[in-house]
Amino acid sequence: MNELDRSAIKRDARAFIGQDNRWWFMFVAYLPILAIGIVTSVGLSIYELFSLNRFAMQFSDAGSSLINVLLIPFTVAFCGFFLSHLRGFSPNWKSVYQEGFDRYWDYLLVGFVTGLIIGVWTLFFIIPGIIAALSYSQVYYVLHDNPQVGCKRAREISSALTDGCKWDLFVLELSFIGWWLLVALTAGIAFIYVWPYYQTTKAMYYENLKQITLAAGTIQPEDVGLMPFDPYAEQNPYAGQNPYEQQNPYGQQYPYGQQSPDTPQYPYGYAPQPPYTQPPADGQPQAPFTPPQPEDTFRPGEGSEPQNPDNDENTFNPEA
């Protein structure tokens, strides 16, 4: 797999969340989950402080772990929240919680089993545990794009996406150490910016991994929620099923990595998804795609002149 340009991805992530202070909206959407985590943590800490016994400490640790497990569906939904932003939509903050509740048990099952497998590996073997965590790091994104994927298949797809780039993913995580230290030094205030920046970077990385892996044929488009269609057909068979997402007849292009020049583009649009996202931010519906007439497809535009790099006057003369 081609190595992605981490610096370029992070630079584009900062530029992306900086548009109209998008980072602030992304953080505000996360506030309910953050509030639950803070209140629970403070409450358990107070209980542990006043109880002063071993059972209280164990109960506090178990309580924190339980809350994290119960919030898994919303963590998955937030992965989709950032993907929707990158894909040109303007998702409402409520859509995260609607998606989390609607798909709660499916998301919880896949997320819990994946976390359990990583935990078991880490418990017995630290380095294999880290490798497993990196290998399954894309499960939440895959699960959002393809909710019916199932536990085992989600891990298989994530492993295919990360094949050959686990070290690159590890270095990407390490590159945020300075940002997390800034969060600590500012008593958490910098988290308002760092968290959207971190999540946007990871979502961009997933989109690049998906494009490269599809080009290599390692996974199929339907594995990541994409369905093939003919962009020149009179009617897109998948259009109309989800009025909240526009179809992309030319496929996805994400210029955040160093792609091979011969990497093919795939004409896949987004598979029908429940209405958890909204139309583009400008609120204007896009005009339906009109295929060009066959005789006009390759006609040069008005005023265009043929190029003759060899300065051969007969190169473009059909009568020569």
Side-chain angles (χ1 to χ4, degrees):
M1 176 177 293
N2 297 331
E3 182 176 347
L4 295 177
D5 188 343
R6 295 185 301 272
S7 298
I9 294 177
K10 294 177 69 175
R11 181 177 62 250
D12 286 347
R14 291 193 299 271
F16 182 81
I17 65 175
Q19 298 172 3
D20 300 322
N21 294 322
R22 186 183 276 114
W23 57 271
W24 173 251
F25 173 76
M26 292 174 168
F27 172 76
V28 170
Y30 186 64
L31 274 178
I33 297 297
L34 182 62
I36 292 175
I38 293 176
V39 170
T40 302
S41 179
V42 171
L44 291 173
S45 297
I46 293 175
Y47 171 77
E48 182 180 345
L49 178 64
F50 284 95
S51 296
L52 297 176
N53 59 61
R54 185 176 181 180
F55 172 78
M57 183 179 299
Q58 294 175 344
F59 178 80
S60 178
D61 294 339
S64 298
S65 300
L66 178 61
I67 293 299
N68 291 332
V69 170
L70 294 177
L71 292 178
I72 285 176
F74 302 102
T75 304
V76 178
F78 265 107
C79 290
F81 178 74
F82 283 90
L83 289 176
S84 294
H85 272 286
L86 292 176
R87 291 167 179 173
F89 304 104
S90 180
N92 188 287
W93 67 272
K94 297 179 182 178
S95 66
V96 176
Y97 301 95
Q98 180 184 353
E99 178 180 354
F101 281 117
D102 287 352
R103 297 176 176 171
Y104 189 88
W105 296 111
D106 293 333
Y107 284 0
L108 182 63
L109 175 62
V110 176
F112 176 75
V113 172
T114 302
L116 184 63
I117 292 174
I118 295 173
V120 170
W121 275 106
T122 306
L123 182 63
F124 294 101
F125 311 99
I126 299 299
I127 294 180
I130 295 176
I131 295 175
L134 294 171
S135 180
Y136 301 152
S137 61
Q138 310 303 306
V139 163
Y140 286 1
Y141 298 103
V142 173
L143 184 58
H144 168 81
D145 280 346
N146 186 5
Q148 291 77 37
V149 66
C151 295
K152 182 179 179 181
R153 185 56 184 159
R155 297 195 302 273
E156 291 175 348
I157 296 172
S158 180
S159 297
L161 288 168
T162 58
D163 185 31
C165 67
K166 294 182 182 63
W167 174 253
D168 200 51
L169 279 168
F170 182 68
V171 175
L172 179 68
E173 294 289 342
L174 292 180
S175 69
F176 277 92
I177 289 180
W179 287 97
W180 297 123
L181 288 176
L182 179 62
V183 172
L185 293 174
T186 58
I189 295 177
F191 185 82
I192 298 173
Y193 177 85
V194 174
W195 186 79
Y197 171 36
Y198 174 69
Q199 296 295 339
T200 301
T201 301
K202 290 175 59 177
M204 283 185 174
Y205 208 94
Y206 164 76
E207 295 284 46
N208 279 273
L209 292 178
K210 181 174 65 177
Q211 181 184 4
I212 294 174
T213 311
L214 283 171
T218 309
I219 63 173
Q220 299 303 310
E222 54 269 22
D223 290 332
V224 286
L226 300 177
M227 300 295 289
F229 65 89
D230 182 1
Y232 296 101
E234 293 183 0
Q235 183 177 4
N236 177 358
Y238 300 100
Q241 299 187 35
N242 179 10
Y244 294 90
E245 290 190 0
Q246 303 291 332
Q247 301 294 334
N248 177 6
Y250 296 108
Q252 301 167 326
Q253 299 183 22
Y254 296 94
Y256 304 116
Q258 299 172 341
Q259 307 295 329
S260 172
D262 57 354
T263 298
Q265 298 297 327
Y266 289 83
Y268 298 105
Y270 297 115
Q273 297 285 340
Y276 298 130
T277 56
Q278 294 181 337
D282 58 8
Q284 299 297 324
Q286 297 182 0
F289 174 72
T290 302
Q293 296 299 320
E295 63 272 15
D296 292 336
T297 303
F298 301 101
R299 178 180 299 174
E302 295 182 3
S304 63
E305 296 294 337
Q307 301 297 318
N308 186 358
D310 297 325
N311 294 321
D312 184 355
E313 61 181 3
N314 294 324
T315 300
F316 296 96
N317 185 355
E319 298 179 358

